[in-house]
Amino acid sequence: MTVMNMVEALNSALKNEMQSDKTVLVLGEDVGVDGGVFRVTNNLLKQFGPERVFDTPLAESGIVGTSIGLSVNGFKPVAEIQFDGFVHPAFDQLISHASRIRNRSRGRFSCPLVVRSPYGGGIKALEHHSEAMETVYVHTPGLKVVIPSSPYNAKGLLISAIRDPDPVIFLEPKKVYRAIKEEVPEKSYTIPLGKANIVQEGSDLTIISFGSMIKTCKEALEQINYSIELIDLQTLYPLDTETIINSVQKTGRCVIVHEAPKTAGIGAEIIARINEKALLSLEAPVERVTGFDTIIPLGKREDDYLPNIKRIKKAVEKVMNF
Amino acid sequence: MQKTIAKFEVSYLQILDETGKIDSNLMPKLSNDDIKKLYELMVITRIADDKALKLQRQGRIGTYAESKGQEASQVGSAYALKKEDFVFPSFRELGMFVTRNFPLEQYYQYFGWDERGNKIPENQNIFPIAIPVGTQTIHAVGFALGIKLKKEKKTVITYFGDGATSEGDFHEAMNFAGVFQLPLVFLCQNNQYAISVPRSLQSHSETLAQKAIAYGFDGIQVDGNDIFAVYKATSEALEKARQGKGPTLIECLTYRMGNHTTADDASRYRTEKEVKEWQKKDPIDRLKKYMQAKKLWSESYEKEITKKAEELVNKAVEKAESLGIPPVEDMFKYMFKEMPPELKEQLEELKNE
Ligand SMILES: Cc1ncc(C[n+]2csc(CCOP(=O)(O)OP(=O)(O)O)c2C)c(N)n1
């Protein structure tokens, strides 16, 4: 075991997979010599050479489109998109093709590719560097969507994503890239996609969250005197309905926390599933603590946008005192 | 049968060489006052850029994209514009902003995490800074098409880097501009790098200028550290545009002397030796040498304009830092003309926290 931050854990996952599977390739802007702008691909070029780790021209549609072609031809590309807001030029390739090729070809072809990208706010970055767009991918049939919350689950989830037979969007909460350090095995291990993690068990209320918000929720829990069950979704599609429903049936109360805009955020889908499968267990309406239906502001106002301890506590009180 | 049906050439323009000598046959019409003005604008740009770097290091502004080394490309091209011409910039255009007399405090305000800095004053024809690489080029196309449809005499210029020429949007913009024969200048600042990726890996083309050929219009490569060449090429391209003769691509060969941004460490991917080589081609030094020979430059002149520039910059920083935090309503206010009920409710929630 070594103590790693999320950047190092992701780097370690890539190394493990590239070592054990010669078809795994890493491509994107600045992933080679520079090691990625956040250094997730640091030293991979040195270790695996330019045929397996390469910088592409500055073109996201090109990166994802090329990854599709590579994956159809037997490779496992792990494409890096430099920031959240820059996946957008590649939308057509993701939504019209990567997500559909298995279906379109009736199973003759498939796209086992991973698109990695830093995700979410909290580092006071420039415009387009802080978005939380996960719902757009969740809403695209044919894409799996993974968002880790810690170094440990980041590594296990990334290895599973690379081994997955279908396209996976892997969003890395940049706010906690270096903010959390924990023991992470050097050797390979997996955490299954589609499974949530119960971070902490409890009986009064369920908090459901993911990504960097898990850290914020944990901090809020230190100031909350109820018995809270904290669920880290880890994968947003497919969603682990079973874990959610079991927990809500036990606690009867639920708060959902995500930084993406409120309207049609993943919280809405979770509430719908609770509604379908556990409505009668509820003691109170489910609350959402989310970003607003606005553009995430630049640094001076960013903290007003992102869910914080105060808002989480307030929502918990509201649900407990319904 | 097989025969050559088309042949193309790409020209390169340099007027002011590294030693400060000019090719007088090519020299554009510029008065001594113009030349001094160009020099002063470059000096202001460099001082303002250096200030931004310092502010970032002190945590007073956020991630900042340096312009050092690219002053001639930015100032020379912007100086050729008329007031009514419209600019579609990216994020490394300080010299253009300085030349257009944009309130410098807003530049610091914008890079200091405050959206209000990107609100261009009503009387200035500049579109807000576009961060997604290359995307602004196609907006410039639409704006230029509007000018053509309205039969106006204005022109449009769009700024972007060498990396941007790889994006699909850039190619769509070039093609549209050619097809519609638009009054538009594509100004590429080829500063040799897109973050860590060198120009040679960005495109297998020998020049970026030649990309215009494929779209049916002129492309020219200029020494981007030679302010006379940049000014001349841009003036001619703008004049051509004004006469309805279509777009031009100008590739300014220059060099990003600093890091990509304050978040970058250029020593990871380029050598000190390379940087030193480019230092010899510095755009400001070069013009200074020329002015010295023409007796347009003296120590006291340098001192005076430097002092003026520093005062201007310091005042701008002071102003920027006095502007405080934007009101929380601003987050909601500019989403739509009329605030929808959802947003009103969310704003109330936030205010009541
Ligand atoms: C669509 C998009 N992809 C990636 C980025 C991240 N990024 C910011 S600047 C940059 C390099 C740009 O290079 P170039 O166009 O040569 O301009 P320069 O920064 O050198 O002025 C990259 C990759 C971005 N801003 N937009």
Side-chain angles (χ1 to χ4, degrees):
Chain A
M1 291 272 200
T2 317
V3 173
M4 297 187 198
N5 62 31
M6 192 185 283
V7 169
E8 291 158 346
L10 291 164
N11 183 262
S12 167
L14 289 168
K15 265 189 195 148
N16 288 154
E17 281 308 276
M18 293 187 80
Q19 256 156 359
S20 63
D21 181 351
K22 295 269 176 292
T23 68
V24 176
L25 308 176
V26 166
L27 70 160
E29 293 156 13
D30 307 287
V31 297
V33 178
D34 204 31
V37 295
F38 285 102
R39 310 287 179 251
V40 172
T41 60
N42 204 19
N43 287 326
L44 295 181
L45 173 63
K46 232 183 252 165
Q47 190 171 346
F48 299 101
E51 298 214 326
R52 296 190 62 199
V53 180
F54 45 88
D55 286 333
T56 65
L58 206 177
E60 292 74 13
S61 182
I63 293 168
V64 176
T66 300
S67 299
I68 291 174
L70 282 165
S71 67
V72 166
N73 198 10
F75 289 92
K76 292 213 149 198
V78 183
E80 175 172 305
I81 299 290
Q82 204 159 74
F83 273 100
D84 326 60
F86 310 137
V87 189
H88 307 178
F91 258 33
D92 195 31
Q93 292 299 336
L94 279 175
I95 289 169
S96 306
H97 300 293
S99 63
R100 291 169 176 250
I101 280 173
R102 180 184 295 283
N103 184 275
R104 182 186 299 147
S105 68
R106 299 287 94 171
R108 166 76 170 79
F109 296 109
S110 62
C111 286
L113 57 85
V114 178
V115 175
R116 294 181 35 248
S117 175
Y119 158 87
I123 64 159
K124 302 204 187 313
L126 289 163
E127 193 187 356
H128 308 286
H129 291 67
S130 307
E131 279 61 27
M133 299 288 289
E134 67 272 12
T135 309
V136 175
Y137 307 114
V138 170
H139 199 64
T140 300
L143 296 179
K144 293 186 180 177
V145 183
V146 178
I147 306 183
S149 62
S150 73
Y152 181 82
N153 77 358
K155 177 166 176 177
L157 288 165
L158 182 56
I159 291 176
S160 294
I162 295 171
R163 293 182 188 174
D164 197 88
D166 286 301
V168 179
I169 309 296
F170 194 91
L171 302 172
E172 303 164 359
K174 63 178 90 69
K175 186 181 181 187
V176 291
Y177 256 157
R178 294 174 194 280
I180 305 170
K181 286 185 181 169
E182 65 187 4
E183 299 230 312
V184 176
E186 303 256 15
K187 64 173 183 19
S188 186
Y189 63 96
T190 58
I191 293 176
L193 303 192
K195 279 263 162 258
N197 175 36
I198 300 174
V199 179
Q200 172 186 311
E201 293 196 20
S203 53
D204 292 339
L205 181 145
T206 305
I207 294 182
I208 301 172
S209 191
F210 54 92
S212 76
M213 285 296 132
I214 291 294
K215 181 167 183 282
T216 312
C217 289
K218 279 186 184 167
E219 286 160 6
L221 290 191
E222 283 169 21
Q223 302 178 22
I224 293 173
N225 284 326
Y226 302 107
S227 166
I228 306 281
E229 181 140 304
L230 176 60
I231 296 179
D232 178 357
L233 290 175
Q234 303 188 125
T235 303
L236 272 70
Y237 199 93
L239 196 59
D240 184 357
T241 314
E242 193 185 337
T243 299
I244 295 169
I245 298 303
N246 286 345
S247 179
V248 172
Q249 278 172 345
K250 178 172 74 175
T251 61
R253 297 175 201 268
C254 182
V255 169
I256 300 158
V257 182
H258 62 68
E259 60 181 282
K262 185 173 192 181
T263 298
I266 192 74
E269 178 61 31
I270 294 169
I271 292 174
R273 294 198 190 189
I274 293 171
N275 191 36
E276 286 160 4
K277 300 210 158 82
L279 181 69
L280 297 180
S281 308
L282 286 180
E283 304 281 344
V286 178
E287 270 295 305
R288 285 181 281 175
V289 182
T290 67
F292 302 104
D293 294 358
T294 68
I295 312 295
I296 180 167
L298 297 182
K300 277 188 179 167
R301 278 288 177 192
E302 188 178 33
D303 290 342
D304 294 285
Y305 176 93
L306 292 171
N308 55 28
I309 295 175
K310 198 168 145 200
R311 284 171 63 196
I312 294 168
K313 276 165 64 182
K314 197 168 157 186
V316 167
E317 283 304 334
K318 188 172 169 194
V319 174
M320 289 307 300
N321 296 309
F322 178 74
Chain B
M1 182 184 65
Q2 192 174 23
K3 61 183 180 178
T4 303
I5 54 164
K7 260 190 167 169
F8 303 102
E9 281 173 0
V10 183
S11 67
Y12 170 82
L13 178 68
Q14 185 195 57
I15 299 170
L16 177 66
D17 71 15
E18 289 169 35
T19 66
K21 295 208 177 56
I22 60 160
D23 182 336
S24 48
N25 293 327
L26 294 170
M27 186 64 185
K29 236 204 259 156
L30 285 167
S31 68
N32 285 348
D33 280 349
D34 280 324
I35 292 170
K36 281 163 89 173
K37 182 78 186 168
L38 287 170
Y39 184 73
E40 287 157 26
L41 288 167
M42 287 202 288
V43 169
I44 295 172
T45 303
R46 182 154 300 179
I47 289 174
D49 190 61
D50 188 55
K51 185 75 182 181
L53 208 59
K54 291 199 175 100
L55 292 176
Q56 195 282 334
R57 290 206 189 105
Q58 295 165 359
R60 288 156 71 184
I61 65 168
T63 308
Y64 175 71
E66 300 168 52
S67 282
K68 188 176 177 188
Q70 300 180 217
E71 294 88 352
S73 297
Q74 298 172 357
V75 172
S77 56
Y79 200 72
L81 295 168
K82 294 199 165 137
K83 189 164 168 47
E84 67 267 24
D85 295 334
F86 225 100
V87 181
F88 286 76
S90 80
F91 43 80
R92 198 187 304 284
E93 259 79 71
L94 177 57
M96 179 279 293
F97 281 105
V98 166
T99 305
R100 294 221 109 190
N101 215 6
F102 179 77
L104 203 48
E105 62 268 21
Q106 282 193 238
Y107 202 74
Y108 292 116
Q109 191 184 21
Y110 176 66
F111 284 100
W113 310 283
D114 189 334
E115 288 85 348
R116 294 174 298 180
N118 218 2
K119 178 176 182 174
I120 311 296
E122 290 292 341
N123 63 350
Q124 296 215 347
N125 293 332
I126 309 174
F127 207 53
I129 288 174
I131 303 277
V133 167
T135 50
Q136 72 282 7
T137 58
I138 195 77
H139 309 148
V141 161
F143 202 87
L145 180 56
I147 288 172
K148 186 175 175 182
L149 294 175
K150 291 196 215 163
K151 300 191 171 34
E152 292 172 333
K153 279 282 165 221
K154 287 188 251 184
T155 66
V156 179
I157 188 167
T158 180
Y159 288 84
F160 52 91
D162 42 303
T165 66
S166 294
E167 286 283 6
D169 275 3
F170 166 76
H171 291 274
E172 295 181 25
M174 292 279 285
N175 192 37
F176 274 48
V179 166
F180 295 124
Q181 284 296 291
L182 299 177
L184 173 57
V185 175
F186 290 90
L187 196 122
C188 177
Q189 292 184 67
N190 172 3
N191 64 8
Q192 312 304 328
Y193 287 91
I195 309 188
S196 72
V197 179
R199 156 63 188 85
S200 57
L201 298 183
Q202 203 58 248
S203 170
H204 201 63
S205 300
E206 202 169 328
T207 69
L208 296 176
Q210 74 200 59
K211 308 229 174 234
I213 294 167
Y215 297 105
F217 56 90
D218 301 329
I220 179 172
Q221 191 181 68
V222 307
D223 180 341
N225 286 6
D226 164 2
I227 196 156
F228 297 147
V230 174
Y231 173 77
K232 184 185 167 91
T234 314
S235 300
E236 287 174 1
L238 290 167
E239 190 45 37
K240 180 181 113 184
R242 244 180 274 282
Q243 287 173 11
K245 293 182 183 157
T248 308
L249 168 63
I250 302 172
E251 175 189 5
C252 296
L253 276 187
T254 181
Y255 195 77
R256 194 193 76 212
M257 292 304 294
N259 293 317
H260 167 71
T261 65
T262 47
D264 176 46
D265 172 10
S267 70
R268 288 175 74 89
Y269 52 80
R270 67 183 192 189
T271 62
E272 202 44 46
K273 186 163 160 264
E274 182 186 299
V275 179
K276 285 226 171 81
E277 280 308 306
W278 276 93
Q279 217 147 27
K280 294 181 198 150
K281 305 181 195 205
D282 186 81
I284 299 181
D285 283 351
R286 199 187 291 200
L287 183 57
K288 181 161 108 186
K289 282 180 198 150
Y290 170 77
M291 289 166 70
Q292 262 173 316
K294 281 206 47 167
K295 305 260 181 297
L296 292 173
W297 186 94
S298 67
E299 291 285 351
S300 61
Y301 165 75
E302 180 79 18
K303 244 189 220 149
E304 184 199 333
I305 63 162
T306 305
K307 188 163 164 254
K308 258 204 199 143
E310 278 166 357
E311 276 168 14
L312 182 86
V313 166
N314 289 338
K315 227 189 249 161
V317 173
E318 212 174 288
K319 177 100 188 276
E321 295 194 324
S322 74
L323 296 169
I325 295 176
V328 76
E329 287 82 3
D330 278 18
M331 201 197 298
F332 295 81
K333 193 165 145 188
Y334 300 104
M335 295 304 301
F336 299 97
K337 188 157 195 306
E338 286 272 338
M339 201 185 292
E342 288 92 330
L343 280 186
K344 281 186 188 156
E345 194 182 313
Q346 291 178 15
L347 174 57
E348 275 318 298
E349 257 172 54
L350 178 56
K351 278 177 156 174
N352 292 334
E353 250 175 44

